Structures are given as C-alpha cells and as structure tokens.
C-alpha cells in the first residue's frame, strides 16, 4: 500500500525534475524505488494474511455443506397462522410435514386479533402526544411520534376503517354457524360487537383518540383471554399428539438425540409457543443445547434449508469451540453460543460486565459520546 509520506516524496521529486529540466540524482531515484517496493511488499503481506481467513471460510463452508445432509433427527417448526408447520427430517431426508394444530386455534386467534386490526388502521392518525391515561408512562413518546405520522386532523382513516367494519360485520353474522364451543362463540361475539360499536361511534363523530380506543380494547380483554385459553389448548393437543407419533416412528434411541429448530420472528423468539410445548417432549438432558429458537428477518422461502444451514453451523461450532479453545471455557462458550467471540474482551476493555448493556453504565463504561455531550452542556 502506498503511504501518504511515500506518495508526497515521489510527487515532489518528480515535480522538481520536470520544472527545472534536470535529471534526478541517483540517490533520489533509489529512495523512490525503495518506497514503492516497501509499499508493494506490505500489500502482498496483508493479502497473504487475508488469504488465511479466506481459506478458513472455504473449509468451514465445505464442512457445513456436508454436515447439512447428515443432520438427524431434526424437527423444523415454521410458525404460521394455523399453529405451525412441522417437518421431520430423519436419515438425511424429509419424512413428513404436517400442520397438526386443530382449526380452533386459528379461529380463536383470528377474532382475538380484531383490536389489533382496528389499531393498525387508525394508529397513524393518533395525536403524537401521550395523554394522561393509566399506563401512559409505559408508552415511549418518541415511539408514538413515529407511529402517529398523519396526525388527528387527517381523515384518511375513515374509509379503511369502514371496509374493515364490513369484514367484521360479515364474521359476526356468520359466527353462529361456525360450530364453535359456546363459551368461545360468546367471547368472539363480544369482541366483534365492541369493535363494531367503536368503529360506528368513531366514524359518526369523525374523531377518536387514545382514550376512546383504550376504553374499547379494555372491554374486549376478558373475551380475548377466553380465546387465548382455547387457542393454547388446541395447540398443546395438536403438537403433543404429533410428537408422540413421530417418537414412535423413529424410535427411542434416535429420539433422545433429537434436534428441534423453531423459526420465528423477533417478537415471538423468546418463550415461543411451539418451543414451550416441544421442550417437554424432548430428552431433558439435551433440550438446552438441542432446542434452537431461530429468529428470522422474514419468513424464509425454504424454511427447512434455513433451519438445517443454521443448525449445521451450531453443531460444528459446538465441537470446534472445545477443540480450538481447550484452555479457556469462557471463550469456548462464547464461540459456541449466541455471544460474539469478541464480546468478553470488549466488555473487559470498556470496564463492563455481561449484564452491563441492560443496566445503567458506570463512569468507566459510559459511551464516549455521552461523556462529550455532558462536557458540552456544562
């Protein structure tokens, strides 16, 4: 790499020769050539260093690619509106894919989501100021400002809300024919009736606010809890029934080493409903390392491949961590876990601990920008 000093020296010497029409002294020519040779040598050396990492990544990818086809047994769970699609891989091939959760799960959740549907339609038209309401302190004013980007003076919410009301009215008229358990039917009716009343009153008056919406949503909450009870029971029975079937299919010897990868979005990646149920069906001695909750940015086109690709990385890292770092269990755990490998060293250098990012920073670990701003404000 040509350094700034070498570049300036070279330009100065060449410029002087051109202006005064004289030959460069031999010593000056030698110095310029030596600078270029040093820079070229440095560039080659750094490229050689990078090549070591390129070679590692190629070997790592080759091992992972081969391992993907050998992982077994594996269950891949793709969360969806029907309670999840479950796929069993055994002996290197897909044995079965199923949506085991009874339809009652989807129906109960569909009506439970109605208040969220109303909110999503009107949210942009809220006031960007947090009113004096119970729980107001739990709403970040900046978050509200970002969501309420249209403001209360605009009326673009009326037509979309009326269209959603038409959908809800159809569901309400047909509800009695859905053959739901009586308690569930009553709770669904309550949610729909409250939503239709809120929409009717808001459209008639041409206005709404956070207070009126919270009054509506609070009235639906007991019914939503009822729907949640039925949805949870349906999912437990469906998933556990499928697990028993697959356990019998592959046998106890294979089942004790089962891997499970649950694909989800970030907002459901902790205490995921499928993970909670499946962990009870897995080998207790291995569930901590063999049940993987994998948050994804969006639903992948090929969820089975995404799950196996990530699982292969996890499995080979579990082994390599112990072999590459046999003298430092802390670093080995970081390498094979969710931590960045440099996390321990970075925390050490900034004077923080593993729990520090979620706590108030100490004087030693405070962000340098915060320190600068504090000095400027004095």
């Amino acid at each position: 790499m040509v350094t700034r000093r070498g570049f300036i020296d070279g330009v100065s010497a060449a410029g002087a020769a051109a202006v005064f029409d004289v030959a460069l002294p031999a010593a000056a020519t030698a110095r310029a050539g030596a600078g270029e040779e040093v820079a070229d040598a440095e560039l080659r050396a750094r490229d050689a260093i990078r090549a070591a990492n390129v070679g590692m990544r190629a070997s790592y990818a080759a091992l992972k690619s081969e391992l993907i086809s050998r992982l077994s047994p594996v269950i891949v769970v793709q969360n969806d509106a029907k309670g999840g699609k479950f796929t069993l891989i055994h002996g290197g091939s897909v044995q079965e894919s199923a949506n085991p959760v009874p339809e009652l799960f989807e129906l109960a959740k569909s009506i439970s989501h109605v208040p969220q549907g109303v909110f999503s339609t009107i949210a942009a038209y809220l006031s960007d100021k947090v009113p004096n309401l119970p729980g107001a302190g739990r709403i970040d004013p900046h978050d509200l400002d970002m969501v309420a980007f249209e403001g209360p003076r605009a009326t673009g919410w009326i037509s979309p809300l009326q269209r959603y009301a038409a959908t809800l009215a159809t569901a309400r008229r047909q509800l009695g024919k859905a053959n739901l358990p009586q308690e569930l039917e009553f709770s669904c009716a309550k949610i729909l009736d409250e939503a239709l009343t809120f929409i009717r009153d808001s459209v008639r008056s041409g206005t709404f606010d956070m207070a009126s919406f919270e009054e509506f949503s609070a009235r639906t909450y007991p019914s939503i809890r009822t729907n949640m009870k039925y949805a949870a029971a349906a999912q437990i029975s469906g998933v556990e029934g499928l697990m028993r079937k697959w356990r019998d299919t592959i046998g106890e010897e294979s089942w004790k080493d089962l891997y499970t990868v649950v694909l989800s979005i970030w907002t459901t990646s902790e205490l995921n409903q499928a993970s909670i149920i499946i962990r009870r069906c897995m080998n207790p001695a291995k569930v901590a390392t063999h049940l993987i909750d994998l948050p994804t940015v969006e639903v992948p086109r090929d969820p089975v491949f995404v799950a196996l690709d990530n699982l292969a990385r996890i499995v080979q890292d579990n082994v390599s961590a112990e072999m590459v770092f046999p003298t430092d269990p802390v670093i080995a755990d970081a390498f094979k876990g969710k931590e960045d490998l440099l996390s321990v060293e970075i925390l050490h250098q900034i004077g923080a601990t593993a729990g520090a990012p979620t706590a108030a920073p100490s004087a030693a670990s405070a962000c340098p920008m915060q320190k600068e701003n504090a000095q400027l404000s004095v």
Side-chain angles (χ1 to χ4, degrees):
M1 180 173 63
V2 178
T3 63
R4 181 175 181 272
R5 181 72 246 171
F7 177 77
I8 293 174
D9 287 346
V11 170
S12 299
V19 170
F20 297 106
D21 194 24
V22 295
L24 285 172
T29 305
R31 284 198 302 273
E36 292 175 359
E37 289 177 3
V38 170
D40 288 343
E42 180 182 298
L43 180 60
R44 289 193 299 272
R46 294 189 174 194
D47 284 345
I49 292 171
R50 293 188 185 96
N53 190 49
V54 172
M56 180 282 293
R57 291 185 180 278
S59 299
Y60 187 95
L63 174 61
K64 179 163 65 72
S65 178
E66 180 68 23
L67 182 56
I68 286 173
S69 64
R70 298 175 181 273
L71 292 168
S72 180
V74 184
I75 292 176
V76 177
V77 184
Q78 181 183 353
N79 285 289
D80 59 24
K82 297 180 179 180
K85 183 177 182 179
F86 294 70
T87 300
L88 173 66
I89 297 101
H90 188 229
S93 62
V94 172
Q95 301 296 305
E96 183 182 359
S97 289
N99 285 91
V101 180
E103 189 181 16
L104 206 63
F105 171 92
E106 183 180 11
L107 299 175
K109 290 194 68 175
S110 293
I111 300 302
S112 294
H113 289 160
V114 166
Q116 184 67 30
V118 176
F119 167 81
S120 300
T121 308
I122 67 174
Y125 302 89
L126 288 165
S127 168
D128 61 356
K129 300 295 186 291
V130 181
N132 184 22
L133 293 170
R138 294 170 57 84
I139 299 177
D140 186 311
H142 184 66
D143 287 350
L144 178 59
D145 184 50
M146 295 293 96
V147 171
F149 49 83
E150 292 288 354
R153 295 185 179 181
T155 59
W157 57 274
I158 293 178
S159 292
L161 197 58
Q162 288 176 318
R163 289 194 295 270
Y164 190 49
T167 299
L168 301 183
T170 300
R172 181 65 180 91
R173 287 194 302 271
Q174 300 291 330
L175 185 62
K177 302 175 183 178
N179 193 28
L180 302 178
Q182 187 176 64
E183 184 184 30
L184 180 59
E185 181 181 336
F186 287 166
S187 62
C188 289
K190 174 66 173 176
I191 295 168
L192 290 167
D193 289 343
E194 291 291 353
L196 289 168
T197 299
F198 172 81
I199 294 172
R200 181 199 64 203
D201 293 346
S202 299
V203 171
R204 283 179 179 176
S205 63
T207 186
F208 63 87
D209 56 21
M210 192 177 290
S212 65
F213 181 85
E214 288 193 2
E215 289 173 2
F216 143 65
S217 58
R219 290 193 297 269
T220 68
Y221 181 68
S223 298
I224 289 175
R225 293 295 306 185
T226 298
N227 285 30
M228 291 170 68
K229 178 181 71 174
Y230 279 91
Q235 189 165 46
I236 292 170
S237 66
V239 174
E240 289 189 343
L242 183 64
M243 295 301 104
R244 285 192 293 269
K245 173 189 171 184
W246 283 352
R247 189 170 187 163
D248 290 340
T249 298
I250 69 174
E252 289 295 328
E253 189 64 23
S254 292
W255 188 265
K256 68 181 178 62
D257 292 319
L258 174 72
Y259 297 101
T260 301
V261 183
V262 181
L263 301 173
S264 62
I265 57 176
W266 179 85
T267 53
T268 61
S269 59
E270 290 191 17
L271 283 180
N272 183 275
Q273 54 199 27
S275 300
I276 293 171
I277 301 168
I278 292 176
R279 86 168 38 247
R280 305 199 312 165
C281 305
M282 295 177 63
N283 180 356
K286 293 195 173 183
V287 68
T289 56
H290 283 49
L291 174 59
I292 295 106
D293 285 292
L294 186 65
T296 57
V297 177
E298 59 184 19
V299 178
R301 293 182 179 180
D302 189 343
V304 172
F305 173 78
V306 169
L308 294 178
D309 183 67
N310 280 271
L311 179 60
R313 179 187 295 268
I314 292 167
V315 171
Q316 67 189 58
D317 283 357
N318 286 345
V319 178
S320 67
E322 298 300 334
M323 296 183 66
V324 175
F325 301 107
T327 61
D328 193 334
V330 174
I331 291 296
D333 286 344
F335 185 78
K336 65 183 181 180
K338 294 182 179 180
E339 299 175 25
D340 188 288
L341 185 58
L342 285 179
S343 60
V344 175
E345 180 61 25
I346 289 173
L347 288 170
H348 171 71
Q349 291 193 22
I350 66 175
T353 60
T358 58
S362 65
S365 63
C367 173
M369 291 182 63
Q370 291 179 336
K371 294 179 181 177
E372 292 173 5
N373 291 339
Q375 293 171 353
L376 290 173
S377 62
V378 174

